[in-house]
Amino acid sequence: MGEPFRHQLRVRYGECDLQGVVFNAHYIAYFDTRINELLRAACGSYRAIIEQGIDVVVAEAHLRFGAAARFEDKLTLEVAVTRLGTTGITTEHRIGRDGERLVEGMLRHVLVDLETMTKTPIPDWLRLQLEPWTAGQLEPWTAGHLAPRTPDSG
């Protein structure tokens, strides 16, 4: 079983809202950056996938917030491939700061043929390239960090 792909980034001023925290929509952009870095590590570049006549497009996204990131925070981003379906790739994402868990989420991408923009099967070469980061589900976070909500907890 593979390990999550890890990458770090520092929060830029323009990513923060008037309250001085990262605006929520930027977390999807952070997830997208992780996918691009993962594909670069796996395939050499995103362009290598495009040159094969396929593209990877977002079909579904989920986010869950635990704590805020702020300007100049150094964030650690993790992504793990949790499912390689026939045409889709599901990834789990985590964003943390100094061991504190800030955001968790999931993205599901679908591969499409560039000419027809219709779903296309994941090629064997891409499955093989993603194998080092195919980890099943990420280990659960420790208690107190984004603990599951119950109907009574809001």
Side-chain angles (χ1 to χ4, degrees):
M1 187 140 326
E3 290 291 319
F5 178 78
R6 291 177 179 88
H7 190 78
Q8 291 189 320
L9 68 81
R10 193 167 301 277
V11 174
R12 296 167 292 203
Y13 179 78
E15 295 165 344
C16 298
D17 60 19
L18 291 175
Q19 291 79 32
V21 300
V22 172
F23 180 65
N24 58 59
H26 287 292
Y27 290 103
I28 292 285
Y30 293 166
F31 287 4
D32 190 58
T33 299
R34 283 324 94 223
I35 291 294
N36 286 337
E37 292 299 327
L38 172 63
L39 292 173
R40 182 184 329 282
C43 303
S45 70
Y46 187 81
R47 171 87 34 223
I49 295 171
I50 299 296
E51 289 172 353
Q52 297 297 316
I54 57 176
D55 199 356
V56 183
V57 298
V58 174
E60 185 176 358
H62 295 268
L63 292 159
R64 186 157 180 209
F65 299 96
R70 298 180 180 281
F71 175 54
E72 290 202 350
D73 281 353
K74 188 174 184 181
L75 305 179
T76 299
L77 294 87
E78 296 180 340
V79 58
V81 177
T82 56
R83 183 173 184 277
L84 289 170
T86 303
T87 61
I89 301 169
T90 303
T91 51
E92 285 189 19
H93 300 256
R94 291 184 180 164
I95 298 175
R97 175 190 56 227
D98 298 325
E100 179 184 14
R101 308 295 172 110
L102 305 179
V103 177
E104 65 183 356
M106 179 278 295
L107 291 178
R108 186 172 55 85
H109 286 79
V110 173
L111 272 70
V112 295
D113 179 281
L114 278 174
E115 287 187 28
T116 64
M117 293 307 288
T118 58
K119 289 188 204 179
T120 190
I122 301 170
D124 290 338
W125 63 265
L126 183 56
R127 288 178 187 279
L128 183 63
Q129 297 298 91
L130 290 172
E131 191 173 291
W133 299 284
T134 302
Q137 287 189 312
L138 293 175
E139 290 183 25
W141 286 356
T142 58
H145 291 291
L146 300 176
R149 290 180 181 251
T150 64
D152 297 331
S153 69

